[in-house]
Amino acid sequence: MTQQEDTDTVSTAAAIDLIQVCLAKNILTKPDLIKLNISTDTLKDLTRRIAESDFIALWDHIEQHPESNDIALRIGQTINPNAKGLLASWVSQTSTLKEALNTFVEHIPLMNPSESWQLSENNTACSLAFSFKSTKYYPDPAIERSMSSIVTWAKLLSGKELQITEANFTFPEPDYLESFHEVFGNKIKFNCQKNILIFPKLSLELPIISSNNLLKEIIKNKAQFALKELNT
């Protein structure tokens, strides 16, 4: 692991829903958070960031809990409007789902520098591929949460269900397969080379219901400044 990776951080917004839901389900306790070096005071300030190593340790703790099961998928289906970070706020002001996804993909380091998304399209369909940096060792539930949340955000932004025609995952089929079907539809494959969501190209044209060009420019400027600070 390089020195840069040792100092990587993630947005507090990436952890808030995860922690709140797990606390409510008794999968996490406040003493657990203390052991994981995560302060509840930090979670009250969306401008702050937490060490990525602590964030990964949090995911490991959750995965090892005997009652976690499909909790990551469920968390991905939960959007807290009061826990929007800069990136989510920026995306919320874009014009179309295509612009929203492109903004998200290009500026994902604002949320988590180890996440990588790639949007591709052909004549009729689009694919959205997802991965974590291979040196960071995120557990499978973290993948479940990220891919589940992208489906939820698409619906929240456009007001329309994103029709997933196929979903591929790199990990083995879990015991809670039905929960995957509820989120990603009927055509799901496991033990694949990549994590990919496939959906109709026409979905990219869906308008964003909260679009506001003036606010977008204001948030964009703040987000780009924050990204520049992260890069340096």
Side-chain angles (χ1 to χ4, degrees):
M1 185 175 290
T2 66
Q3 184 178 5
Q4 178 61 46
E5 289 171 331
D6 282 336
T7 59
D8 280 344
T9 61
V10 300
S11 169
T12 297
I16 290 179
D17 289 343
L18 175 65
I19 290 173
Q20 288 181 340
V21 172
C22 288
L23 284 173
K25 299 288 185 181
N26 294 317
I27 292 173
L28 274 177
T29 64
K30 290 186 177 180
D32 289 332
L33 293 180
I34 294 173
K35 292 178 183 178
L36 292 164
N37 299 316
I38 298 176
S39 167
T40 52
D41 289 336
T42 301
L43 299 175
K44 297 175 184 177
D45 185 354
L46 292 176
T47 66
R48 296 177 67 176
R49 298 177 71 85
I50 62 177
E52 188 182 11
S53 57
D54 293 337
F55 187 56
I56 295 173
L58 171 65
W59 270 116
D60 287 335
H61 178 91
I62 292 169
E63 182 189 37
Q64 292 164 14
H65 194 282
E67 297 180 12
S68 60
N69 294 320
D70 63 351
I71 190 68
L73 289 175
R74 300 303 176 191
I75 292 169
Q77 296 290 287
T78 303
I79 299 293
N80 180 356
N82 295 318
K84 281 185 181 180
L86 268 177
L87 183 57
S89 299
W90 183 0
V91 166
S92 297
Q93 307 307 323
T94 54
S95 299
T96 64
L97 188 58
K98 182 173 184 176
E99 184 187 358
L101 288 173
N102 281 329
T103 300
F104 177 77
V105 167
E106 185 177 351
H107 302 94
I108 190 61
L110 281 168
M111 188 172 74
N112 187 335
S114 292
E115 285 196 22
S116 176
W117 295 84
Q118 183 177 4
L119 178 65
S120 305
E121 55 184 283
N122 58 29
N123 291 335
T124 60
C126 295
S127 65
L128 189 60
F130 170 74
S131 64
F132 281 111
K133 190 179 295 183
S134 60
T135 56
K136 291 306 183 75
Y137 307 107
Y138 276 86
D140 294 340
I143 299 173
E144 297 175 14
R145 187 272 187 100
S146 291
M147 295 184 71
S148 174
S149 65
I150 205 74
V151 176
T152 306
W153 270 103
K155 179 180 179 180
L156 178 70
L157 293 171
S158 68
K160 305 287 185 181
E161 293 278 356
L162 186 63
Q163 300 299 318
I164 304 299
T165 56
E166 184 176 330
N168 297 341
F169 299 91
T170 54
F171 47 82
E173 180 180 313
D175 296 333
Y176 41 93
L177 179 60
E178 186 56 37
S179 296
F180 274 81
H181 286 305
E182 291 175 10
V183 178
F184 303 107
N186 296 323
K187 193 172 182 180
I188 300 176
K189 298 178 181 178
F190 297 93
N191 294 311
C192 298
Q193 291 186 340
K194 293 182 178 181
N195 301 296
I196 298 178
L197 299 177
I198 300 174
F199 54 93
K201 182 179 179 179
L202 285 174
S203 300
L204 294 179
E205 299 176 10
L206 290 171
I208 302 303
I209 55 180
S210 56
S211 176
N212 184 307
N213 196 55
L214 177 59
L215 283 178
K216 180 177 70 174
E217 290 303 312
I218 294 172
I219 298 171
K220 175 182 176 180
N221 290 335
K222 289 188 175 185
Q224 289 180 333
F225 179 78
L227 190 59
K228 183 178 179 180
E229 285 194 319
L230 286 176
N231 289 336
T232 56

